[in-house]
């Protein structure tokens, strides 16, 4: 039985309903020594609690697509696992200097055609593909959903090489969340159809390609080379599999994915020209999910800290869009955004969206995503 979907949810819901009824019916029937009676009753209560908690957890996972399979969940729990509101518009901080499909490389393994559009609809809806990218330089392989916009299949654009943006989940996040809950492909198609966005290819991935470890898009000493994967392998694999540009890429993500997008653009201006962070953060983190990301090196730690880079290094000629809401408090909220903006200088260009209400959730990101895609598509198209 799959982890996602109605069958498991129905089974757990049935257990959560039936077990309390059975407990009531059997409560007075327990017999024997007092210690055995108490033990049986405690066991029945524990089973009822377990069924209820499991149902709630499965419902939350089914909504958020945090774990796509039992193997995903098992790797995370394993003890050996490594420690469209368009009234919203970006605010420019002016002082920061406001038809035919391409041939497919054998390097990229096509797993399936995602059931999103039929061949007859490619020129009007675009196409969504499920692929595995090999990652030769990093020795990391990652799954991705690739969205090709309608223009990719229209005769007028048959010789056009399209701009590309990498799209990241938060952590733990599942890339299914990007196509099912946030529905990036639907939103971009709508924005293009209304003339607000320009055509671009989306490569949608988990922000942790070394899952269950949260590598924070970092080249970890003697560990996963996550930055190499996203900055070199993905652009190489995609540009050799599709009719796209090799440089001037964009990046966008929420939460940890937003941190990755900002860091990717700041560190790789030769490939990436623009990035958007939806409720991202701009400083390094270390916790039980990340483990030691820098091998004890303070130099590597600083180089992976966007705020440190803006303070101590020349700022690159790239553009960033940072979003948050007044409801996001704490070190990763709107105050962190404002601190980062205050550090920015030309030739770096920074725009912001701060919602009056909202939080660190899909509701806020859904409001910000349309304007963010519009913003991003125009900047990668000009690169």
């Amino acid at each position: 039985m799959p982890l996602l979907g109605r069958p498991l949810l129905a089974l757990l819901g049935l257990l959560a309903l039936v077990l309390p009824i059975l407990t009531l019916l059997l409560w007075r029937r327990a017999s024997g020594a007092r210690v055995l009676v108490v033990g049986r009753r405690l066991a029945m209560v524990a089973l009822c609690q377990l069924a209820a908690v499991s149902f709630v957890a499965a419902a939350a996972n089914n909504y958020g697509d945090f774990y796509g399979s039992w193997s995903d969940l098992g790797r995370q729990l394993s003890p050996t696992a490594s420690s469209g509101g368009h009234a919203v518009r970006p605010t420019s901080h002016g002082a920061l200097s406001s038809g035919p499909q391409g041939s497919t490389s054998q390097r990229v393994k096509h797993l399936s055609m995602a059931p999103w559009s039929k061949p007859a609809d490619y020129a009007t809806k675009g196409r969504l593909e499920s692929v595995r990218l090999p990652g030769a330089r990093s020795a990391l392989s990652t799954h991705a959903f690739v969205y090709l916009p309608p223009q990719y299949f229209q005769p007028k654009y048959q010789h056009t090489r399209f701009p590309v943006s990498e799209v990241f989940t938060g952590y733990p996040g599942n890339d299914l969340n990007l196509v099912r809950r946030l529905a990036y492909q639907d939103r971009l198609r709508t924005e293009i159809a209304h003339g607000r966005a320009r055509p671009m290819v989306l490569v949608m991935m988990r922000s942790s390609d070394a899952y269950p470890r949260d590598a924070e898009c970092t080249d970890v000493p003697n560990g996963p080379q996550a930055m190499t994967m996203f900055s070199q392998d993905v652009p190489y694999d995609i540009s050799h599999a599709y009719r796209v540009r090799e440089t001037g890429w964009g990046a966008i993500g929420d939460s940890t994915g937003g941190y990755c997008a900002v860091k990717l653009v700041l560190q790789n201006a030769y490939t990436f020209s623009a990035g958007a962070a939806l409720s991202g953060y701009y400083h390094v983190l270390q916790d039980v999910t990340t483990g030691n990301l820098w091998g004890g090196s303070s130099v590597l730690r600083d180089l992976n800290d966007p705020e440190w880079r803006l303070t101590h290094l020349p700022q690159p000629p790239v553009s960033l869009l940072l979003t948050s809401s007044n409801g996001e408090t704490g070190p990763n909220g709107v105050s962190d955004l404002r601190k980062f903006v205050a550090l920015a200088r030309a030739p770096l260009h920074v725009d912001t969206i701060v919602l009056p209400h909202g939080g660190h959730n899909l509701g806020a990101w859904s409001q910000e995503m349309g304007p963010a895609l519009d913003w991003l598509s125009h900047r990668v198209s000009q690169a």
Side-chain angles (χ1 to χ4, degrees), residues 186-197:
D186 289 301
R187 180 57 68 88
L188 179 58
R189 176 198 171 209
T190 298
E191 297 303 305
I192 294 173
H194 286 84
R196 293 187 289 260

Side-chain angles (χ1 to χ4, degrees), residues 186-334:
D186 289 301
R187 180 57 68 88
L188 179 58
R189 176 198 171 209
T190 298
E191 297 303 305
I192 294 173
H194 286 84
R196 293 187 289 260
R198 295 179 179 177
M200 63 179 172
V201 171
L202 301 179
V203 183
M204 295 174 274
M205 302 168 286
R206 264 183 167 152
S207 59
S208 177
D209 51 0
Y211 189 83
R213 185 176 187 181
D214 178 10
E216 295 275 303
C217 297
T218 303
D219 279 346
V220 182
N222 300 313
Q225 303 296 288
M227 176 57 74
T228 296
M229 175 72 190
F230 292 128
S231 66
Q232 298 183 44
D233 286 335
V234 174
Y236 179 87
D237 293 339
I238 293 296
S239 63
H240 283 75
Y242 298 95
R243 203 173 64 251
V244 299
R245 300 176 185 173
E246 297 183 1
T247 59
W249 280 38
I252 183 173
D254 59 77
S255 191
T256 298
Y259 166 81
C260 285
V262 168
K263 191 166 80 165
L264 191 62
V265 174
L266 290 179
Q267 294 187 24
N268 302 278
Y270 51 88
T271 302
F272 292 83
S273 61
L278 311 182
S279 297
Y281 48 91
Y282 313 101
H283 52 268
V284 293
L285 294 179
Q286 181 171 327
D287 57 26
V288 67
T289 67
T290 66
N292 187 341
L293 295 174
W294 314 291
S297 169
S298 60
V299 173
L300 285 180
R301 183 186 188 280
D302 289 340
L303 290 175
N304 282 279
D305 188 315
E307 291 175 352
W308 186 93
R309 295 182 70 93
L310 263 59
T311 304
H312 297 92
L313 298 179
Q315 300 191 13
V318 297
S319 297
L320 297 174
L321 173 65
L322 316 178
T323 81
S324 187
S325 70
N326 289 326
E328 292 196 64
T329 59
N332 296 345
V334 67

Side-chain angles (χ1 to χ4, degrees), residues 3-4 60-61 63-69 72-73 75-76 142-143 145 167-179 181-182 204-214 216 230 253-257 289 360 362 365:
L3 181 60
L4 290 174
N61 186 63
Y63 178 79
D65 292 317
F66 299 114
Y67 303 100
S69 65
D72 277 354
L73 181 60
R75 285 195 296 270
Q76 175 66 16
T142 191
H143 176 266
F145 287 104
V167 184
F168 299 112
T169 65
Y171 181 85
N174 189 305
D175 52 9
L176 276 172
N177 200 37
L178 299 174
V179 301
R181 300 299 181 197
L182 288 171
M204 295 174 274
M205 302 168 286
R206 264 183 167 152
S207 59
S208 177
D209 51 0
Y211 189 83
R213 185 176 187 181
D214 178 10
E216 295 275 303
F230 292 128
D254 59 77
S255 191
T256 298
T289 67
H360 199 83
L362 294 176
W365 302 334

